[in-house]
Amino acid sequence: MTTLEPGSVPRLRRGVRLSYDQTRATHVLLFPEGVLVPNPTAAAVLSLCDGVEDVAGIASALRKRYTGVREEEILDVLSRLGDRRIVEWT
């Protein structure tokens, strides 16, 4: 397992796509094995996982939109999504 830290750079795994479902009015993660409905916090984090921005940069971008954003919480969300093979690290 990769040690996750603020300098880690996440991206969606190949074949995983974050999309917005107009019918359900929510984000969905589409991947070959199924569909996952992330909560709004996870969707906000995932929308910034482009394989270029590191966790510190993602936290900085989210702080412009939300108050109380902590890198530890972003790392926790991404770690859990990594365990489910939704996110990988470059």
Side-chain angles (χ1 to χ4, degrees), residues 4 7 10 14 21 25 28 31 33 35-36 46 48 50 55 59 64 71 77 84 88:
L4 304 179
R14 186 179 193 153
D21 185 329
V28 292
F31 48 98
E33 300 86 19
V35 176
L36 180 68
L46 288 167
L48 298 171
D50 57 6
V55 172
K64 294 176 183 172
E71 289 179 4
V77 167
R84 296 187 70 173
E88 64 184 9

Side-chain angles (χ1 to χ4, degrees), residues 7-22:
S8 298
V9 179
R11 69 176 175 205
L12 297 180
R13 290 185 68 91
R14 186 179 193 153
V16 177
R17 184 168 51 103
L18 179 65
S19 182
Y20 188 78
D21 185 329
Q22 296 289 343

Side-chain angles (χ1 to χ4, degrees), residues 28-90:
V28 292
L29 276 167
L30 306 171
F31 48 98
E33 300 86 19
V35 176
L36 180 68
V37 180
N39 66 32
T41 302
V45 171
L46 288 167
S47 70
L48 298 171
C49 293
D50 57 6
V52 175
E53 198 70 60
D54 62 14
V55 172
I58 291 171
S60 178
L62 290 174
R63 284 186 192 108
K64 294 176 183 172
R65 293 190 282 175
Y66 308 103
T67 58
V69 174
R70 297 185 343 201
E71 289 179 4
E72 300 83 28
E73 293 173 340
I74 293 170
L75 286 169
D76 182 53
V77 167
L78 292 173
S79 176
R80 286 186 276 131
L81 291 169
D83 290 345
R84 296 187 70 173
R85 303 183 51 84
I86 301 293
V87 173
E88 64 184 9
W89 306 90
T90 62

